[in-house]
């Protein structure tokens, strides 16, 4: 019920040039896990946005700060049975997240910015912020394609 | 990301390729805003066909371009939206605010 | 003269399915560092072959064993001046490498296998095996394109 | 990696796409060796046009196919070598040992 196996762990720096490297790895990983092309693009977008926010907000644009990304294949309990999912955990040592700022904004308000969290929430099945041991943690879960419960159930 | 400009009569077409993300979106924003605010080109057209990836910072740059075009009374047109770009714009719920053409012919039409 | 900055560290398991994930990350990283398309393919091939050898030989095909890959941007001393390079270090905890087996073979001998080391040596500027603290280490260096010393110098 | 077979008169064309590496090369080896050793098809042709990546385990599978074809007296032909495949075969110094055609027309020609 609670099995998890490590797929990959990445340690990187808060440099915008590293974003494409994570996208490259995750694109392949998602494809291997059986996600459709469109789902692969969604997973990659969600993680890229989460990293972008860490670089811009947690580290206020300061380069060379540590970021860790863990990718696990997990089983999440679901009505008795376990369903398989990809879990992505992002860790940073930047400014403590202010949950109040995470409310997002009305998309009707046409202005640049403010889309990142919306993209993360739209592309992932679970999004969970926390703070432990002086580190910000963002946990993202995306259910593997074959295991999606049938629509309307 | 690569960006190059073609200057036609009273309009400029920007051909954009590669990934638009936090690290590259400034290279998109700057020439766009210059073209609109400084040069006040009446029609600014973006060819997005060869864009391989775009995230929220890329979309933000497009929104900035759109706002600048409204300020100076220029037209701001996107064309060549591939699946990747279309999906992200749809996710942003901002597809409707942009003027989008099927191809360059339509975008440059009088 | 001895500056090195971490670009990326990957922790993975000895599963052949992970190879494409490393290729995805490294392909993007190499592109970012300014390598030509052909050089990017070469760097990716060299590292893929090194990982393949770790999985097949150091771990004898056993899955879920730990592998670490470190990517640094380094300066290597070169006739007074420092030239920039990509350094890749692969670490495993498998069977100690038998240097005698690394001699390679005559390529004229047409048989499947025996190409991996040849590909690693052909694609990299430096290839160095070592063993410390119970771990095998393979250090690969590829000089960044703009810094290649002029041909014939 | 994807592999599919087209059975023509006394010959079989395998269309291969994607990445051939340690994890996928068995999926290439098995059908090739079956076609040659079991079915003894007189001409086995590999279309490599859509191969995105190949490493030494992929090349080893091709060499195994070639050796099996020599054992049973079949022809073993590669075509559609893109830059990636060509570079790796060149690096392996094995380009000359394979029968390589420019396109399918040449490969199936009597
Ligand atoms: N990782 C983070 N650390 C700190 N603050 C964050 C983080 N992610 C998001 N935020 C806060 O949430 C707000 C909304 O984020 P987002 O929707 O991505 O839009 P934007 O980044 O363009 O403002 C940000 O302005 C910031 O205040
Ligand atoms: N990482 C490694 N650990 C242990 N032995 C290795 C390793 N890499 C290579 N070898 C040895 O070197 C030999 C030649 O390797 P290689 O050229 O890659 O061809 P192949 O793997 O097909 O035999 C291998 O057969 C193996 O004995």
């Amino acid at each position: 019920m609670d099995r998890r196996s490590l797929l990959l762990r990445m340690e990187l720096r808060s440099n915008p040039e590293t974003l494409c490297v994570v996208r490259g790895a995750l694109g392949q990983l998602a494809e291997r896990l059986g996600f459709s092309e469109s789902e692969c693009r969604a997973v990659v977008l969600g993680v890229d946005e989460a990293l972008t926010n860490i670089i811009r907000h947690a580290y206020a644009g300061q380069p060379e700060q540590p970021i860790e990304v863990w990718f696990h294949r997990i089983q999440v309990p679901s009505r008795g049975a376990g369903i398989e999912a990809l879990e992505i955990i992002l860790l940073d040592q930047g400014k403590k997240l202010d949950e109040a700022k995470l409310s997002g904004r009305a998309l009707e308000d046409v202005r640049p910015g403010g889309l990142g969290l919306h993209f993360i929430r739209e592309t992932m099945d679970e999004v969970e912020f926390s703070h432990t041991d002086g580190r910000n943690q963002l946990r993202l879960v995306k259910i593997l394609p074959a295991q999606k419960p049938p629509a309307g159930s | 990301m690569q960006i190059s400009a073609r200057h036609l009569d009273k309009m400029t077409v920007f051909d954009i390729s590669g990934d638009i993300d936090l690290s590259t979106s400034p290279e998109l924003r700057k020439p766009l805003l210059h073209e609109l605010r400084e040069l006040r080109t009446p029609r600014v057209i973006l060819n997005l066909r060869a864009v391989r990836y775009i995230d929220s910072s890329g979309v933000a740059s497009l929104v900035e371009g759109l706002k600048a075009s409204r300020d100076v009374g220029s037209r701001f047109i996107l064309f060549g939206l591939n699946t990747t770009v279309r999906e992200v714009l749809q996710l942003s719920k901002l597809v409707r605010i942009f003027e989008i053409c099927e191809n360059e012919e339509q975008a440059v039409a009088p």
Side-chain angles (χ1 to χ4, degrees), chain A, chain B:
Chain A
M1 204 59 98
D2 208 63
R3 273 182 292 167
R4 43 192 289 126
S5 65
L6 179 72
L7 297 166
L8 173 69
R9 179 182 164 222
M10 296 179 98
E11 216 178 288
L12 36 126
R13 295 289 176 256
S14 58
N15 309 326
E17 304 77 42
T18 319
L19 289 171
C20 64
V21 177
V22 178
R23 293 200 300 268
L26 180 52
Q28 293 286 332
L29 184 66
E31 194 184 315
R32 272 289 146 145
L33 290 171
F35 288 108
S36 70
E37 282 185 30
S38 169
E39 286 171 317
C40 286
R41 284 193 292 267
V43 173
V44 166
L45 180 66
V47 172
D48 172 277
E49 296 291 347
L51 285 169
T52 295
N53 278 349
I54 290 174
I55 295 173
R56 289 183 55 217
H57 302 304
Y59 286 128
Q62 207 187 328
E64 299 300 334
Q65 303 307 303
I67 302 174
E68 264 179 55
V69 193
W70 296 77
F71 301 89
H72 281 95
R73 188 179 178 129
I74 63 165
Q75 277 204 1
V76 287
S78 164
R79 278 167 279 114
I83 53 173
E84 303 273 321
L86 168 63
E87 180 199 65
I88 303 149
I89 291 178
L90 299 103
L91 296 162
D92 69 73
Q93 299 168 38
K95 203 181 60 190
K96 187 165 182 293
L97 187 88
D98 178 359
E99 303 260 355
K101 289 201 182 147
L102 292 179
S103 50
R105 62 170 184 94
L107 289 177
E108 296 68 46
D109 177 15
V110 177
R111 59 169 178 84
L115 282 171
L117 281 174
H118 171 71
F119 281 0
I120 297 172
R121 295 202 177 103
E122 286 289 314
T123 53
M124 297 289 164
D125 292 310
E126 280 181 47
V127 177
E128 195 186 321
F129 288 92
S130 60
H131 190 89
T132 29
D133 303 328
R135 298 205 293 184
N136 292 308
Q137 172 177 310
L138 171 53
R139 181 174 175 269
L140 305 172
V141 174
K142 182 83 174 178
I143 294 169
L144 295 194
Q147 273 86 19
K148 290 257 186 205
S153 75
Chain B
M1 197 205 64
Q2 306 273 338
I3 182 166
S4 61
R6 287 180 281 134
H7 301 281
L8 313 177
D9 183 32
K10 295 203 176 77
M11 54 180 100
T12 296
V13 181
F14 287 99
D15 298 298
I16 302 159
S17 64
D19 294 12
I20 316 178
D21 66 3
L22 182 64
S23 71
T24 58
S25 53
E27 298 159 36
L28 170 61
R29 256 181 76 244
K30 264 180 252 164
L32 278 193
L33 296 185
H34 177 75
E35 193 73 29
L36 289 159
R37 291 197 187 138
E38 265 42 81
L39 307 182
R40 297 182 167 250
T41 305
R43 201 188 303 192
V44 170
I45 301 167
L46 269 62
N47 172 9
L48 302 172
R49 190 148 286 142
V51 170
R52 198 171 55 170
Y53 180 77
I54 183 166
D55 69 3
S56 69
S57 34
V59 176
S61 301
L62 298 183
V63 173
E64 275 203 86
L66 178 67
K67 298 202 98 173
S69 75
R70 287 180 181 171
D71 291 345
V72 298
S74 295
R75 275 175 78 188
F76 186 74
I77 305 175
L78 313 179
F79 81 91
L81 277 67
N82 55 41
T83 320
T84 304
V85 173
R86 206 171 279 277
E87 277 174 356
V88 173
L89 281 183
Q90 249 141 19
L91 212 57
S92 75
K93 309 259 164 68
L94 292 172
V95 196
R96 339 155 249 101
I97 70 166
F98 290 105
E99 182 173 353
I100 294 171
C101 289
E102 277 308 298
N103 49 44
E104 180 158 344
E105 203 172 47
Q106 275 183 23
V108 301

